[in-house]
Amino acid sequence: MDEMDMSTQRGHPEPALQQFTVFLPNQVGKLRELVNLFVRHRTHVVALDVLNAQDWAIVRMILSDAIDARNLLKASGFAYTECPMLAVELPSPDALADLAGALLAAEVSLQVAYPLLVPAHGRPVVALHVDDQVVAEEVLIEQGFTLLDESDLW
């Protein structure tokens, strides 16, 4: 598929956000090294989640520019994977319960969720990885949620 084509063969848009899961040796300073890579190239960390194991740290990140982030990770030799994420604006303190209820009613399984470091329109934003992104997008929009993309977050 042409890199400029922003939709799938079935006509669904490209995921609004990409999560990069970076595997780091669990050593002092490795997270700083990773974050500084992006800082030096003006690619901003929009969300961060770190899971420590004995020998490795698993760092989940959403960055301000997925294409730049991918190129930087490749060029720097970091081991990583990618997965699509949804960014959902939470319009009220109770909206997280409404969001969870909408996904439950649609039988969409939530696999990963964490907050973003930057608000959108002064409201909190949560990043979600679900088992059926197309259905989740349709249901959340139908329920009045605003889905965001990279341009909304930086």
Side-chain angles (χ1 to χ4, degrees), residues 92-106:
S92 72
D94 298 331
L96 191 57
D98 297 337
L99 183 147
L103 294 177
L104 174 63

Side-chain angles (χ1 to χ4, degrees), residues 85-120:
M85 299 289 283
L86 296 175
V88 184
E89 186 178 271
L90 300 178
S92 72
D94 298 331
L96 191 57
D98 297 337
L99 183 147
L103 294 177
L104 174 63
E107 298 181 9
V108 173
S109 177
L110 179 61
Q111 297 171 337
V112 175
Y114 50 88
L116 274 63
L117 299 171
V118 293

Side-chain angles (χ1 to χ4, degrees), residues 42 44 53-54 63 103 122 129:
R42 292 191 169 95
H44 305 284
Q54 186 170 350
L63 297 129
L103 294 177
H129 179 66

Side-chain angles (χ1 to χ4, degrees), residues 17 46-47 62 86-91 96 99 113-128 146-149 152-153:
L17 298 177
V46 176
I62 296 174
L86 296 175
V88 184
E89 186 178 271
L90 300 178
L96 191 57
L99 183 147
Y114 50 88
L116 274 63
L117 299 171
V118 293
H121 313 112
R123 296 185 179 131
V125 179
V126 64
L128 309 173
T146 301
L147 302 180
L148 308 172
D149 62 26
D152 295 312
L153 300 174

